[in-house]
Amino acid sequence: SQTIHQWPATLVQPVGSPLSLECTVEGTSNPNLYWYRQAAGRGLQLLFYSVGIGQISSEVPQNLSASRPQDRQFILSSKKLLLSDSGFYLCAWSERPNQPQHFGDGTRLSIL
Amino acid sequence: LAKTTQPISMDSYEGQEVNITCSHNNIATNDYITWYQQFPSQGPRFIIQGYKTKVTNEVASLFIPADRKSSTLSLPRVSLSDTAVYYCLVGDRGRDDKIIFGKGTRLHILP
């Protein structure tokens, strides 16, 4: 069966520090991968999605970036975090575009 | 992308059947309707997906009228653990497109 791993579960970072969140999927090949952010009490905001290695689409201009160095690995990064980057970050995968998505447990990021 | 509209919140009682309706007037011919459930501090969980008429699984039923401009998620005999946010999404499964999660419906089950 397929599983998705996302870490860390919680993270506290100072403003201006770098960020790296990692997501890996097991049990499937060539998945579509997604990064979302959810502010407290709000809906999910799609940040990036990828249909293959090295193929990243950005949905929202910001100081975040994403990379897909391997088929089942998706990384969310920032060189300098802002206070507004606080939130709940979720990684998800699907077999094909717009197929049901399967989410990881999320990373709660707090910026101080 | 077809826009969806759903109630912001709903209350119900344990043991009741709950129906959450989603409006999607601009749904396209190839669009499917998908529902997710999200508990606090967790990622959304896929509940059910359908294209027309009725779909049922072990968790819920999805009713879609002939014009497909709305859909209703039906949760039979809810319990306190069904308190969550429920999202209705519409998208084309065959296109390299992306689904937009709205704010969902916050369902609160009372004892």
Side-chain angles (χ1 to χ4, degrees), chain A residues 8-104:
Chain A
T10 59
L11 188 60
V12 180
Q13 292 284 98
V15 170
S17 64
L19 173 73
S20 180
L21 301 180
E22 187 165 343
C23 172
T24 59
V25 180
E26 296 177 357
T28 187
S29 60
N30 197 31
N32 286 282
L33 297 172
Y34 308 83
W35 277 112
Y36 290 88
R37 177 170 61 199
Q38 186 172 36
R42 307 289 296 274
L44 279 74
Q45 179 187 36
L46 179 64
L47 301 175
F48 301 95
Y49 72 97
S50 171
V51 298
I53 296 175
Q55 300 179 61
I56 310 293
S57 295
S58 174
E59 295 303 306
V60 182
Q62 64 230 321
N63 68 321
L64 300 172
S65 63
S67 61
R68 186 170 176 172
Q70 300 181 43
D71 181 44
R72 291 168 290 173
Q73 184 185 29
F74 206 23
I75 298 172
L76 182 70
S77 304
S78 174
K79 293 181 179 179
K80 278 188 175 183
L81 286 168
L82 306 172
L83 283 174
S84 57
D85 291 324
S86 292
F88 190 44
Y89 287 81
L90 289 157
C91 179
W93 74 272
S94 67
E95 290 186 356
R96 286 187 298 279
N98 288 329
Q99 291 280 351
Q101 295 183 24
H102 307 278
F103 287 79

Side-chain angles (χ1 to χ4, degrees), chain B residues 34-55:
Chain B
T34 309
W35 286 81
Y36 291 83
Q37 174 193 56
Q38 185 181 24
F39 297 114
S41 298
Q42 294 186 25
R45 181 176 71 101
F46 168 75
I47 300 175
I48 197 165
Q49 185 179 68
Y51 183 80
K52 63 180 179 181
T53 61
K54 176 184 175 182
V55 179

